[in-house]
Coordinates of all heavy atoms in Angstrom, one line a residue:
Q5 N -1.8 10.3 3.9 CA -1.7 11.5 4.6 C -2.8 11.8 5.4 O -3.9 11.9 4.9 CB -1.4 12.6 3.5 CG -0.5 13.7 4.2 CD -0.8 15.1 3.7 OE1 -1.8 15.3 3.0 NE2 -0.2 16.1 4.4
Q9 N -9.6 11.7 10.4 CA -9.6 10.5 11.2 C -9.2 9.5 10.2 O -9.9 9.3 9.1 CB -10.9 10.2 11.9 CG -10.7 9.1 12.9 CD -12.1 8.7 13.6 OE1 -13.1 9.3 13.1 NE2 -12.0 8.0 14.5
E15 N -11.9 -0.6 6.7 CA -12.4 0.4 5.7 C -11.4 0.4 4.5 O -11.8 0.5 3.4 CB -12.4 1.8 6.3 CG -13.6 2.0 7.2 CD -13.5 3.3 8.0 OE1 -12.4 3.9 8.3 OE2 -14.7 3.9 8.3
A29 N -14.2 -2.8 -14.2 CA -15.3 -2.3 -14.9 C -14.9 -1.2 -16.0 O -15.3 -1.1 -17.1 CB -16.3 -1.7 -13.9
A30 N -13.8 -0.4 -15.7 CA -13.3 0.6 -16.6 C -13.0 0.1 -17.8 O -13.1 0.8 -18.9 CB -12.4 1.5 -15.8
R34 N -12.3 0.5 -23.0 CA -10.8 0.8 -23.4 C -10.7 1.2 -24.9 O -9.9 2.1 -25.2 CB -9.9 -0.5 -23.2 CG -10.3 -1.7 -23.9 CD -9.6 -2.9 -23.4 NE -10.0 -4.2 -24.1 CZ -11.1 -5.0 -23.8 NH1 -12.0 -4.4 -22.9 NH2 -11.4 -6.0 -24.4
S49 N -20.5 7.5 0.7 CA -20.9 8.2 2.0 C -21.0 7.1 3.1 O -21.6 6.2 3.0 CB -22.4 8.7 1.6 OG -22.9 9.3 2.8
V54 N -22.4 5.6 -3.3 CA -23.6 6.2 -3.6 C -23.7 6.1 -5.0 O -25.0 5.8 -5.5 CB -23.5 7.9 -3.2 CG1 -24.6 8.6 -3.7 CG2 -23.2 7.9 -1.8
R56 N -21.3 5.4 -9.1 CA -20.1 5.3 -9.8 C -20.3 5.9 -11.2 O -21.3 6.1 -11.8 CB -19.7 3.8 -9.9 CG -20.7 2.9 -10.2 CD -20.1 1.4 -10.4 NE -19.6 0.9 -9.2 CZ -19.0 -0.3 -9.1 NH1 -18.7 -0.9 -10.2 NH2 -18.5 -0.7 -7.9
R109 N -13.1 19.4 -5.4 CA -12.8 20.4 -4.4 C -14.2 21.2 -4.2 O -14.6 21.3 -3.0 CB -11.9 21.4 -4.8 CG -11.3 22.2 -3.6 CD -9.9 22.8 -4.0 NE -10.0 23.7 -5.2 CZ -9.1 24.5 -5.5 NH1 -7.9 24.4 -4.9 NH2 -9.3 25.4 -6.4
L116 N -10.0 11.6 -0.6 CA -9.8 11.2 -1.9 C -9.0 9.9 -1.9 O -7.8 9.9 -1.3 CB -9.2 12.1 -2.9 CG -8.8 11.6 -4.3 CD1 -10.0 11.6 -5.2 CD2 -7.6 12.5 -5.0
D122 N -0.6 9.5 -11.6 CA -0.6 9.8 -13.1 C 0.8 9.5 -13.5 O 1.8 10.2 -12.9 CB -1.1 11.1 -13.3 CG -1.2 11.3 -14.8 OD1 -0.5 10.8 -15.6 OD2 -2.0 12.3 -15.3
E137 N -3.5 20.6 -0.7 CA -3.5 22.0 -0.4 C -4.9 22.6 -0.1 O -5.0 23.5 0.8 CB -2.8 22.7 -1.4 CG -1.3 22.6 -1.5 CD -0.7 23.1 -2.7 OE1 -1.5 23.7 -3.6 OE2 0.6 22.9 -2.9
L145 N -3.6 4.1 -2.8 CA -3.7 2.6 -2.4 C -3.1 2.0 -3.7 O -3.7 1.4 -4.5 CB -5.1 2.1 -2.2 CG -5.8 2.5 -0.9 CD1 -7.1 1.8 -0.8 CD2 -4.8 2.2 0.4
T181 N -13.5 -9.3 -46.4 CA -14.5 -10.5 -46.6 C -13.8 -11.7 -45.8 O -12.8 -11.5 -45.1 CB -14.3 -10.9 -48.2 OG1 -13.0 -11.3 -48.4 CG2 -14.7 -9.8 -49.2
G201 N -24.9 -2.5 -42.8 CA -25.4 -1.2 -42.4 C -25.1 -0.9 -41.0 O -24.6 0.2 -40.7
V233 N -18.6 13.1 -41.1 CA -19.3 12.4 -40.0 C -20.7 12.6 -40.2 O -21.1 13.9 -40.4 CB -18.9 13.1 -38.6 CG1 -19.6 12.5 -37.5 CG2 -17.3 13.1 -38.5
P265 N -18.6 23.2 -46.3 CA -18.2 23.1 -44.8 C -19.3 23.2 -43.8 O -20.1 24.1 -44.0 CB -17.1 24.1 -44.7 CG -16.7 24.4 -46.1 CD -17.9 24.1 -46.9
V272 N -10.3 19.5 -46.0 CA -9.5 18.4 -46.7 C -8.2 19.0 -46.7 O -7.8 20.0 -47.2 CB -10.2 18.3 -48.1 CG1 -9.2 17.4 -48.9 CG2 -11.6 17.7 -47.9
G283 N 0.2 22.9 -61.3 CA -1.1 23.1 -61.9 C -2.1 22.2 -61.0 O -3.1 22.8 -60.7
D310 N 6.8 11.4 -41.6 CA 6.5 12.9 -41.7 C 5.0 13.3 -41.6 O 4.7 14.3 -41.1 CB 7.2 13.5 -43.0 CG 8.6 13.6 -43.1 OD1 9.2 13.7 -42.0 OD2 9.3 13.5 -44.0
R321 N -4.5 14.0 -32.1 CA -4.1 13.1 -31.2 C -4.6 11.7 -31.3 O -4.0 10.8 -31.0 CB -4.5 13.6 -29.7 CG -3.8 15.0 -29.4 CD -2.3 14.9 -29.4 NE -1.7 16.0 -29.1 CZ -1.2 17.0 -30.0 NH1 -1.2 16.6 -31.3 NH2 -0.7 18.1 -29.7
V323 N -6.4 9.4 -34.4 CA -6.6 9.5 -35.8 C -7.1 8.0 -36.4 O -6.8 7.0 -35.9 CB -5.2 9.7 -36.5 CG1 -5.1 9.5 -38.0 CG2 -4.7 11.3 -36.3
D337 N 3.2 -2.4 -41.4 CA 4.5 -2.9 -41.4 C 5.5 -1.9 -40.7 O 6.6 -2.4 -40.2 CB 5.1 -2.8 -43.0 CG 4.5 -4.0 -43.7 OD1 3.9 -4.8 -43.1 OD2 4.6 -3.9 -45.0
F385 N -5.7 -3.7 -29.3 CA -4.6 -2.9 -29.3 C -3.3 -3.7 -30.0 O -3.4 -4.9 -29.9 CB -4.2 -2.3 -27.9 CG -5.1 -1.5 -27.3 CD1 -5.6 -2.0 -26.0 CD2 -5.7 -0.4 -27.9 CE1 -6.6 -1.2 -25.4 CE2 -6.7 0.3 -27.2 CZ -7.1 0.1 -26.0

Side-chain angles (χ1 to χ4, degrees):
Q5 213 219 354
Q9 195 177 11
E15 283 170 335
R34 60 193 180 279
S49 171
V54 175
R56 53 175 60 190
R109 202 162 59 174
L116 174 77
D122 191 330
E137 284 167 2
L145 293 183
T181 66
V233 183
V272 174
D310 286 336
R321 298 294 175 265
V323 165
D337 289 349
F385 295 126

